[in-house]
Amino acid sequence: STVDVYVSLVEGNPVPGAMVYIDNEFVGETWEDGLLRAAPVSPGEHIVRVEGQGRIGTKSFNVQYDSREYVIIILS
């Protein structure tokens, strides 16, 4: 299973270089388009935390076996 994490500001601008953590484990940084693609996760409930531009955002998500989830985080 994988998750794509899209990170933007309240104003709608994508956040490149944001640090992405899943269940408190660093999994990567967002690209110029604000997206971290295909981070591997096990099936079940997870929490994603993002830190970027001095702001933090969190969201929980649930991923099924052998599926792909898409999570949007808006930093405020």
Side-chain angles (χ1 to χ4, degrees), residues 5-50:
V5 180
Y6 175 73
V7 182
S8 74
L9 299 175
V10 172
E11 300 82 19
N13 300 331
V15 180
M19 296 181 296
V20 180
Y21 300 84
I22 296 177
D23 300 331
N24 291 318
E25 183 177 323
F26 179 75
V27 294
E29 294 184 9
T30 55
W31 293 87
E32 287 297 316
D33 60 2
L35 194 58
L36 173 71
R37 293 171 179 82
V41 290
S42 60
E45 190 76 21
H46 299 279
I47 295 176
V48 61
R49 184 178 88 247
V50 177

